[in-house]
């Protein structure tokens, strides 16, 4: 999609100026329902799109393309480490333990599943995203997700994403069985199904990239882009080659 959009916007002789925003929106959508595999999968897709765009920009005769990569907010997913767990446990959607806590503010129910060591879900109800559910809900949230319902997956264990094994070396990650126990998987955890208030990173490459250093308000990004489009950034851009000097530790992304 990124490739086609750039081809159309830049025109047949690749000379038309353009602004393109590419969004990997499922990183967020899958996080809302605490579906770590889905969020990670779409992050890989974003990485492929960014990689294509970087190669396209690098092939320009003049370095005339500013490439920015950022997020509009974060989600509560964290990576706790790794854990060895088999498919039988990971895909078992039968709760093995249910804990309930009643207090003056209401009752909270937490269900524990057999993949608890690899996917710690938020214990809060997800009623807010499912109008048909009454009373306290709980994980696995993605089964009640309107996204999953829209795709027609009604039964337990119907995952809406392909297996992430890479048998043919096309660049997607391998994850093979280790002995009898299963596969080494990321251990992830969610605290909520909502956006967080974290600061998010931004990376920049190309003319005007030096403007995007330090800490900034998100609304500054627009004005920094405007400066790059309308002004001469040549003087500042000369800073970047200095980072290639052998006395500087290597900076990834600096060509
Ligand atoms: Zn969201």
């Amino acid at each position: 999609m990124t490739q086609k959009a750039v081809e159309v916007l830049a025109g047949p002789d690749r000379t038309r100026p353009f602004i393109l925003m590419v969004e990997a929106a499922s990183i967020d959508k899958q996080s809302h329902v605490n579906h770590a595999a889905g969020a990670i999968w779409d992050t890989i897709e974003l990485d492929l799109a960014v990689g294509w765009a970087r190669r396209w920009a690098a092939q320009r005769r003049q370095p005339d393309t500013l490439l920015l990569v950022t997020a509009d907010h974060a989600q509560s997913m964290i990576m706790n480490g790794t854990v060895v767990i088999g498919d039988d446990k990971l895909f078992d959607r039968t709760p093995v333990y249910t804990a309930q806590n009643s207090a003056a503010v209401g009752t909270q129910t937490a269900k524990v599943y057999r993949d608890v060591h690899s996917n710690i879900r938020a214990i809060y109800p997800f009623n807010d995203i499912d109008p048909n559910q009454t009373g306290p809900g709980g994980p696995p949230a993605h089964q009640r997700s309107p996204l999953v319902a829209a795709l027609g997956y009604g039964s337990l264990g119907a995952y809406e994403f392909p297996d992430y094994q890479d048998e043919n070396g096309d660049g997607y990650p391998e994850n093979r069985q280790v002995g009898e126990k299963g596969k080494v998987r990321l251990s992830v955890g969610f605290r909520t199904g909502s956006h967080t208030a974290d600061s998010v990173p931004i990376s920049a490459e190309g003319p005007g990239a030096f403007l995007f250093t330090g800490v900034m308000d998100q609304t500054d990004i627009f004005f920094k882009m405007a400066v790059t489009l309308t002004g001469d950034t040549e003087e500042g851009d000369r800073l970047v080659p200095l980072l290639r000097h052998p006395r500087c530790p290597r900076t990834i992304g600096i060509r």
Side-chain angles (χ1 to χ4, degrees):
M1 286 190 285
T2 303
Q3 181 177 351
K4 191 69 203 174
V6 169
E7 280 172 11
V8 170
L9 291 168
D13 48 6
R14 297 160 45 126
T15 51
R16 274 189 231 144
F18 66 91
I19 296 174
L20 171 67
M21 192 195 81
V22 176
E23 182 181 15
S26 270
I27 299 172
D28 179 60
K29 285 190 179 73
Q30 297 293 317
S31 296
H32 275 301
V33 291
N34 289 186
H35 189 195
I40 293 168
W41 187 263
D42 207 35
T43 307
I44 295 169
E45 293 301 310
L46 175 67
D47 187 61
L48 292 171
V50 171
W52 184 88
R54 290 188 67 205
R55 286 193 296 280
W56 187 87
Q59 285 163 6
R60 309 277 299 163
R61 198 168 301 148
Q62 295 294 327
D64 61 357
T65 308
L66 172 64
L67 232 137
L68 303 170
V69 182
T70 189
D72 55 343
H73 62 79
Q75 283 270 2
S76 74
M77 190 182 114
I78 53 162
M79 294 190 184
N80 300 311
T82 55
V83 67
V84 177
I85 182 170
D87 285 352
D88 55 330
K89 291 187 176 61
L90 191 78
F91 298 114
D92 189 342
R93 289 288 168 265
T94 317
V96 289
Y97 177 73
T98 303
Q100 214 168 50
N101 180 32
S102 295
V105 291
T107 301
Q108 271 189 358
T109 305
K111 289 179 186 170
V112 177
Y113 297 84
R114 294 175 76 203
D115 69 346
V116 62
H117 296 299
S118 69
N119 194 7
I120 305 159
R121 297 173 180 79
I123 64 165
Y124 296 113
F126 284 81
N127 296 351
D128 56 329
I129 60 165
D130 184 356
N132 298 318
Q133 197 188 327
T134 56
H142 70 271
Q143 288 172 14
R144 302 197 189 95
S145 151
L147 185 73
V148 175
L151 292 168
Y153 295 112
S155 63
L156 300 181
Y159 266 59
E160 61 268 40
F161 281 84
D163 190 351
Y164 46 82
Q165 289 202 49
D166 172 21
E167 305 271 346
N168 57 10
D170 64 356
Y172 288 94
E174 294 283 355
N175 190 23
R176 296 180 193 281
Q177 183 91 14
V178 179
E180 297 180 337
K181 285 181 173 173
K183 298 173 177 177
V184 177
R185 302 177 196 269
L186 288 174
S187 175
V188 298
F190 290 90
R191 186 66 181 86
T192 68
S194 309
H195 301 174
T196 70
D198 294 50
S199 293
V200 294
I202 181 166
S203 58
E205 190 173 72
F210 69 93
L211 292 167
F212 295 87
T213 52
V215 179
M216 68 196 85
D217 286 341
Q218 69 177 149
T219 45
D220 287 346
I221 293 172
F222 169 82
F223 296 104
K224 287 167 188 271
M225 286 169 66
V227 167
T228 306
L229 277 171
T230 58
D232 179 7
T233 61
E234 209 174 299
E235 200 179 345
D237 290 335
R238 279 200 289 270
L239 284 168
V240 177
L242 292 178
L243 295 172
R244 281 197 226 109
H245 192 279
R247 71 168 169 257
C248 298
R250 190 171 158 256
T251 303
I252 292 168
I254 298 292
R255 279 193 275 259

